[in-house]
């Protein structure tokens, strides 16, 4: 595969993802559905709330419920590690 072929593949995938992503406005939040399947073969769904100088994302606790259903409990130390990871993405 050449670099040009790979670029074309990435563009094609991006177009497919964009064409198959839907959103619905719910007051000040947007519900976004992307065609990426979770373990239940459902589209991935998350919520976005645009702010003046920020954007808030939520999955309505779906991730934590999934982790708990697989036996992982969210402890204070695990939450601290998660916050450290997420803080790397704040500007």
């Amino acid at each position: 595969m050449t670099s040009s072929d790979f670029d074309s593949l990435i563009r094609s995938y991006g177009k497919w993802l964009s064409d198959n992503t839907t959103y619905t406005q719910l007051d000040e939040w947007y519900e976004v559905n992307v065609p990426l399947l979770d373990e239940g073969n459902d589209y991935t769904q998350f919520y976005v709330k645009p702010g003046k100088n920020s954007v808030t994302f939520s999955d309505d606790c779906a991730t934590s419920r999934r982790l708990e259903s697989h036996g992982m409990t969210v402890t204070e130390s695990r939450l601290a590690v998660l916050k450290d990871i997420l803080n790397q993405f704040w500007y």
Side-chain angles (χ1 to χ4, degrees), residues 45-47 57-66:
Q45 182 178 67
F46 60 93
Y47 301 88
F57 290 88
S58 172
D59 69 352
D60 201 26
C61 296
T63 300
S64 60
R65 285 194 297 269
R66 252 192 315 276

Side-chain angles (χ1 to χ4, degrees), residues 27-40:
D27 295 319
E28 55 191 16
W29 288 85
Y30 289 85
E31 178 184 270
V32 181
N33 289 282
V34 294
L36 305 172
L37 301 179
D38 63 15
E39 75 278 358

Side-chain angles (χ1 to χ4, degrees), residues 39-54:
E39 75 278 358
N41 285 329
D42 294 321
Y43 278 4
T44 301
Q45 182 178 67
F46 60 93
Y47 301 88
V48 180
K49 180 181 175 186
K52 215 173 198 182
N53 297 312
S54 65

